[in-house]
Amino acid sequence: MKAIVHEGNTGVEGLSIREMNKPEVQGNNIRVKIHTAGMNRRDLAVITKRHQPEDPALIPGSDASGVIEAVGDKVTRFHVGDEVVVNPGLGWEKNSEAPPEGFEIVGLPDHGTFAEYYVCTEDHVEKKPEHLSYEEAGVLPLAALTAYRALFTRGKLEAGQTVMLPGIGSGVLTYILKFAKAAGARVIVTSRSKEKQIEALKLGADVAISTNDDWTTALSSESVDLLIESIGQATFNKSIATVKKGGTIVTFGSTTEDEVTINIRQFFYGQYNLLGSTMGSAEEFREMLSFVRRHKIHPKIDRLFTIDEYKQAFEYIEETKNFGKIGFVL
Ligand SMILES: NC(=O)c1ccc[n+]([C@@H]2O[C@H](COP(=O)([O-])OP(=O)(O)OC[C@H]3O[C@@H](n4cnc5c(N)ncnc54)[C@H](OP(=O)(O)O)[C@@H]3O)[C@@H](O)[C@H]2O)c1
């Protein structure tokens, strides 16, 4: 089968298109003929952190939609021909405070979805929401699951609250915008790009400002209950300064840098809540899919690539050109 493979050099230099063995199915495994494999910033992080020339060949990619084309003899939930989405989380079944020991994400350390076929156990796929095309369903899993946990499980968003989303170009944040509007919240976004601010308003955001603005001045008449922070060092202190006293910041990313210095006295006097979040459990994955079905939510797709265009795709995400999701159509 044809696949995007990473080996030898760090980063995009180590990527190539190769013929790999089509994976076998047995027992409770199913094989998915992949239609669309969504791309996430994690894919860039994976190929960037593999430094050793002796690291084994790896197919990256965590997201996919497709059709089941083979099932093992112990499979009970699915049949050949079923349309499915892949859950990118491995080893986190039930809802819990944090991922359990041994939790992994599809695409590292084992092969991922940037290939014609993907094999996993039957409990790692779910039925594709009927209102979504394969393209839409293929860019859903990782980012929409992360969005769901950050906004609802951790952020406990309620109708009527105001939520703020710095860096709305993010694939995850376009889901959070749609989920928050569906839940009856007011949504404020920021972007460095004027075009992305306008796009966000078209998607339903109530207010859009520049990431480079002074947020407290620009939002002097707003009261932000919940702020979802995924940019990290570049915006973290602005986020604390903007959320209302006693308000909550949920963080699941640090696209700029991990290390942040904060004024702890201002933080505790402000009575702020700071919560970490990640992807979620298989249970949350199913809750997210039923929320998407119930509210007929469609992912915001920015651009789809063929796998031969892998260099352009990785550069596109590295340069944060995207507004919403990108992915490969196999
Ligand atoms: N913990 C987890 O389980 C988990 C799961 C998913 C994602 N993540 C993390 O969450 C983050 C978002 O993921 P994603 O896939 O949605 O990323 P993405 O699509 O690449 O979006 C990142 C966004 O961050 C903003 N940004 C980037 N550099 C910036 C800078 N220097 N200053 C200000 N804003 C900047 C940009 O917004 P504008 O272009 O609008 O300015 C950009 O669109 C990443 O750090 C990712 O690793 C973590």
Side-chain angles (χ1 to χ4, degrees), residues 39-42 45 103 105 142-143 146 166-174 190-193 196-197 211-212 230-231 234-235 251-256 277-280 317-325:
M39 202 178 177
N40 296 284
R41 184 152 286 273
R42 167 183 157 82
F103 170 68
I105 301 172
L142 190 150
T146 307
I168 192 61
S170 146
V172 179
L173 293 189
T174 47
T190 85
S191 177
R192 295 162 300 169
S193 145
K196 291 187 187 182
Q197 291 169 41
T211 306
N212 301 323
S230 63
I231 299 175
T235 52
T251 176
F252 59 82
S254 49
T255 302
T256 51
S277 194
T278 55
M279 281 169 48
I317 207 150
E318 184 161 30
E319 291 164 14
T320 60
K321 288 185 177 162
N322 58 303
F323 177 72
K325 294 300 302 175

Side-chain angles (χ1 to χ4, degrees), residues 24-254:
E24 298 294 327
V25 285
Q26 53 190 0
N28 63 349
N29 285 341
I30 50 117
R31 185 166 58 223
V32 181
K33 168 89 181 76
I34 295 178
H35 184 290
T36 298
M39 202 178 177
N40 296 284
R41 184 152 286 273
R42 167 183 157 82
D43 305 317
L44 185 64
V46 164
I47 63 166
T48 309
K49 79 175 172 209
R50 281 165 45 93
H51 294 299
Q52 306 305 326
E54 60 273 19
D55 280 344
L58 178 80
I59 302 171
S62 308
D63 282 345
S65 66
V67 178
I68 294 184
E69 66 106 55
V71 295
D73 57 2
K74 296 201 169 59
V75 169
T76 55
R77 289 175 61 217
F78 293 99
H79 301 97
V80 169
D82 284 348
E83 302 180 335
V84 293
V85 288
V86 172
N87 174 1
L90 300 169
W92 187 359
E93 304 309 324
K94 297 272 172 214
N95 288 344
S96 60
E97 293 296 332
E101 205 58 39
F103 170 68
E104 300 282 3
I105 301 172
V106 172
L108 185 78
D110 296 326
H111 286 320
T113 56
F114 294 168
E116 289 177 294
Y117 298 94
Y118 176 71
V119 165
C120 60
T121 56
E122 64 171 330
D123 50 351
H124 280 106
V125 295
E126 298 295 335
K127 288 259 170 72
K128 174 174 91 58
E130 305 69 26
H131 71 288
L132 297 184
S133 65
Y134 280 117
E135 289 81 0
E136 291 172 325
V139 301
L140 188 74
L142 190 150
L145 176 57
T146 307
Y148 185 87
R149 183 170 170 89
L151 193 62
F152 297 122
T153 311
R154 303 293 286 146
K156 301 205 173 352
L157 181 77
E158 290 174 11
Q161 286 189 323
T162 296
V163 58
M164 180 161 170
L165 313 176
I168 192 61
S170 146
V172 179
L173 293 189
T174 47
Y175 287 111
I176 296 191
L177 166 54
K178 289 186 171 220
F179 292 178
K181 289 312 298 177
R186 179 172 174 78
V187 180
I188 299 169
V189 305
T190 85
S191 177
R192 295 162 300 169
S193 145
K194 189 72 197 164
E195 291 74 29
K196 291 187 187 182
Q197 291 169 41
I198 293 165
E199 285 298 318
L201 291 169
K202 284 190 208 154
L203 278 194
D206 298 282
V207 179
I209 61 171
S210 170
T211 306
N212 301 323
D213 280 351
D214 176 337
W215 298 353
T216 47
T217 307
L219 302 173
S220 56
S221 58
E222 301 281 350
S223 175
V224 175
D225 301 289
L226 175 64
L227 189 147
I228 310 288
E229 168 57 60
S230 63
I231 299 175
Q233 195 185 70
T235 52
F236 201 84
N237 272 297
K238 286 174 87 162
S239 293
I240 297 176
T242 305
V243 75
K244 76 174 191 188
K245 297 265 190 304
T248 299
I249 295 177
V250 174
T251 176
F252 59 82
S254 49

